[in-house]
Amino acid sequence: MSRIVAIVGRPNVGKSTLFNRLTDSREAIVDEVSGVTRDRNYGRSNWNGIEFSVIDTGGYVQNSDDIFEEEINKQVLLAIEESDLILFMVDVTIGIHELDSQVASLLRRYNKKVIVVVNKVDNNERLIDATEFYNLGLGDYFPLSSINGSGTGDLLDAVVKNLPLSEEEQFPDLPRIAIVGRPNVGKSSLVNSLLGEERNIVTPLAGTTRDSIYTRYNKFQHDFLLVDTAGLRKKGKVSEDIEFYSVMRAVRTIESSDICLLLLDATRGIEAQDLNIMSLIQKNNKGMIVLVNKWDLIEKENNITTRFEELIREKTAPFTDYPILFISAINKQRIHKVLELIEVVNSNRNRKIGTAELNDVMLPLIKNYPPPALKGKYVKIKYVTQLPIYTPAFAFFCNLPQYVKEPYRRYLENRMREKFDFTGVPVRIFFRKK
């Protein structure tokens, strides 16, 4: 279940610094996906084993004539609506600013848990000054310094305590398939083609997440859940057509799934937004099948499918081990093949390799091409085993794990993909001290 924390506040109170700290400062935390929209940031954070998404919003300004600020305000409102928890950031050196009061009154209109974060509290005098923020009427506050990190741990403890529980979903243990892609690429047409006319076979299941529903697809010997997050709740008065909104939806949909069907528009090729969505899929360790839709509109030349495939993989390197299928959702062209690929990728996602077999295959390869020496020290990998988690992940035990660099990690991943079928799924490799 995806859980989203939004950081809001007026401009220049330190929201981005806190965002960077929450999403960058710990080893277990992945880096942010930046540039998904013009200047919003989305990141993944992990505190004591509990994962959630963090959104850094622009500074909220009321009654501004600036069109750009009006766009930022729209995005802030969307982030508030989509989030499960709001961090409202203020600056102790300024005290309660008129804009802080405006943001506070805006937040009170939403039935959301709000945590007030008082930034720049880096001495005892400022700790006393921070008591002024009780006057915002939003309850207790957390004093911290986002620059040096003091107080961040207490804040994160409160964040995970106030996130909704990730209950075990009441669904059969079926793969969850999400259809993702930028607007107008044919997602709805694909859903309609998959579900077809035999609606009686399709059972809509109400989701436990606030805005995801799962539709069970159970025919032609295929059985899975289609994740659908679109259009379930009224979005208030906020315009739905901005890019920010579609990205928020993509984040939710991807996190709720096991495998993503990434739709591309054949008439437009692979664009920056497609690559951003693919990056989200990879960062969340989901299976992936690329579907090039509207293939019926393309003039067929010699080797056009091969050229198109090469172009897509070239742009997504180093991750290129995923299926690509050319379809027409409206004409139901190759839809049966989509179903077959879902089965293949799901099988690869659940692949378990015995420790003995892994070592028999990988240790000779490592012996022939060991990790390069660093500072005159040699890395010796002794043993490899698969980790018992939901996507393929492997631990390589060695004497100096810190000396193994990214190119060698990629070498091992490529050899594993050659020896065992992991097409369409991410493979994670960890180096551990023996």
Side-chain angles (χ1 to χ4, degrees):
M1 169 175 160
S2 97
R3 291 168 294 187
I4 292 182
V5 175
I7 307 173
V8 304
R10 62 182 176 79
N12 305 321
V13 288
K15 296 185 296 295
S16 295
T17 312
L18 179 63
F19 171 85
N20 288 338
R21 186 160 286 283
L22 296 186
T23 57
D24 272 343
S25 63
R26 287 165 208 287
E27 250 176 43
I29 295 171
V30 298
D31 57 359
E32 79 259 27
V33 184
S34 60
V36 181
T37 59
R38 184 166 44 191
D39 63 350
R40 298 286 69 75
N41 282 324
Y42 309 81
R44 293 290 286 163
S45 191
N46 179 319
W47 185 248
N48 293 340
I50 295 173
E51 283 208 336
F52 53 94
S53 286
V54 186
I55 295 170
D56 170 24
T57 65
Y60 188 85
V61 183
Q62 216 163 19
N63 305 324
S64 165
D65 295 333
D66 187 320
I67 290 169
F68 180 63
E69 285 176 351
E70 188 187 323
E71 275 303 301
I72 287 180
N73 289 353
K74 276 189 199 172
Q75 297 186 8
V76 172
L77 291 171
L78 285 170
I80 291 169
E81 289 201 353
E82 284 293 307
S83 62
D84 299 294
L85 178 67
I86 297 156
L87 302 182
F88 171 28
M89 202 154 186
V90 290
D91 180 343
V92 73
T93 63
I94 304 290
I96 294 181
H97 187 284
E98 181 193 350
L99 283 172
D100 295 331
S101 302
Q102 290 173 1
V103 175
S105 64
L106 171 76
L107 293 174
R108 280 196 289 270
R109 297 209 295 270
Y110 289 85
N111 186 25
K112 294 282 172 84
K113 173 67 183 172
V114 177
I115 295 177
V116 178
V117 179
V118 184
N119 193 21
K120 305 182 188 174
V121 180
D122 44 21
N123 59 45
N124 286 339
E125 193 180 321
R126 288 183 175 180
L127 203 54
I128 296 161
D129 294 343
T131 56
E132 176 188 354
F133 290 96
Y134 277 123
N135 294 326
L136 290 171
L138 291 167
D140 281 343
Y141 60 84
F142 281 80
L144 57 75
S145 167
S146 58
I147 290 246
N148 69 29
S150 65
T152 314
D154 291 342
L155 173 65
L156 279 163
D157 286 344
V159 165
V160 298
K161 188 173 148 193
N162 284 286
L163 284 172
L165 290 173
S166 183
E167 304 156 49
E168 281 300 309
E169 275 93 349
Q170 302 300 303
F171 305 136
D173 188 19
L174 295 174
R176 292 149 208 258
I177 313 300
I179 298 172
V180 295
R182 52 187 166 71
N184 305 320
V185 75
K187 295 188 290 291
S188 304
S189 304
L190 180 58
V191 171
N192 292 339
S193 292
L194 281 171
L195 299 180
E197 306 311 320
E198 301 166 64
R199 291 284 170 150
N200 57 327
I201 304 174
V202 173
T203 327
L205 301 165
T208 53
T209 61
R210 193 182 62 248
D211 63 355
S212 289
I213 58 167
Y214 298 88
T215 304
R216 186 166 180 182
Y217 181 98
N218 185 9
K219 49 186 177 179
F220 311 126
Q221 296 175 313
H222 296 284
D223 199 3
F224 56 82
L225 296 168
L226 270 177
V227 184
D228 177 22
T229 57
L232 293 180
R233 293 184 303 120
K234 288 194 173 73
K235 299 310 297 172
K237 295 175 183 168
V238 178
S239 157
E240 287 195 19
D241 59 1
I242 58 176
E243 188 184 359
F244 179 83
Y245 179 78
S246 63
V247 174
M248 289 284 302
R249 284 291 185 203
V251 171
R252 278 239 188 245
T253 310
I254 289 165
E255 289 181 354
S256 305
S257 71
D258 296 314
I259 297 169
C260 295
L261 307 181
L262 173 59
L263 250 68
L264 307 181
D265 184 333
T267 63
R268 295 174 66 168
I270 185 163
E271 299 184 337
Q273 202 179 342
D274 300 318
L275 294 172
N276 284 325
I277 294 170
M278 188 179 281
S279 163
L280 284 169
I281 295 169
Q282 284 178 255
K283 283 175 189 295
N284 282 281
N285 298 305
K286 305 300 181 182
M288 183 173 77
I289 300 166
V290 172
L291 303 177
V292 183
N293 192 25
K294 308 184 187 176
W295 196 238
D296 52 317
L297 304 179
I298 297 295
E299 276 187 44
K300 304 303 181 283
E301 303 163 19
N302 281 345
N303 302 326
I304 184 149
T305 51
T306 311
R307 290 209 308 276
F308 221 97
E309 268 198 45
E310 283 170 356
L311 182 71
I312 293 169
R313 293 194 205 278
E314 191 181 299
K315 290 201 175 181
T316 67
F319 179 49
T320 56
D321 187 14
Y322 50 83
I324 298 176
L325 185 64
F326 297 85
I327 67 164
S328 165
I330 283 186
N331 299 338
K332 300 191 177 181
Q333 187 184 0
R334 297 195 190 87
I335 295 299
H336 66 285
K337 187 73 179 160
V338 176
L339 298 171
E340 288 168 22
L341 282 176
I342 288 171
E343 297 292 331
V344 168
V345 172
N346 189 52
S347 167
N348 293 346
R349 194 177 66 88
N350 291 305
R351 189 174 306 291
K352 298 288 179 275
I353 303 162
T355 302
E357 185 185 357
L358 256 181
N359 284 280
D360 287 348
V361 169
M362 295 307 295
L363 291 183
L365 292 170
I366 292 165
K367 190 177 176 186
N368 288 339
Y369 182 65
L374 195 70
K375 300 177 185 171
K377 294 188 175 170
Y378 291 88
V379 180
K380 293 183 176 64
I381 297 173
K382 301 285 189 189
Y383 173 79
V384 54
T385 187
Q386 185 167 2
L387 298 170
I389 56 176
Y390 62 95
T391 54
F394 300 88
F396 286 75
F397 289 89
C398 57
N399 57 338
L400 298 163
Q402 69 277 24
Y403 284 2
V404 186
K405 300 301 179 199
E406 188 57 30
Y408 195 77
R409 185 191 301 269
R410 277 211 295 275
Y411 164 77
L412 290 178
E413 182 185 330
N414 291 338
R415 297 299 78 74
M416 293 192 84
R417 288 183 181 280
E418 283 169 12
K419 302 293 180 183
F420 310 101
D421 190 358
F422 286 117
T423 298
V425 292
V427 170
R428 288 190 288 169
I429 287 175
F430 301 94
F431 297 99
R432 301 229 170 121
K433 184 92 175 156
K434 190 170 176 347

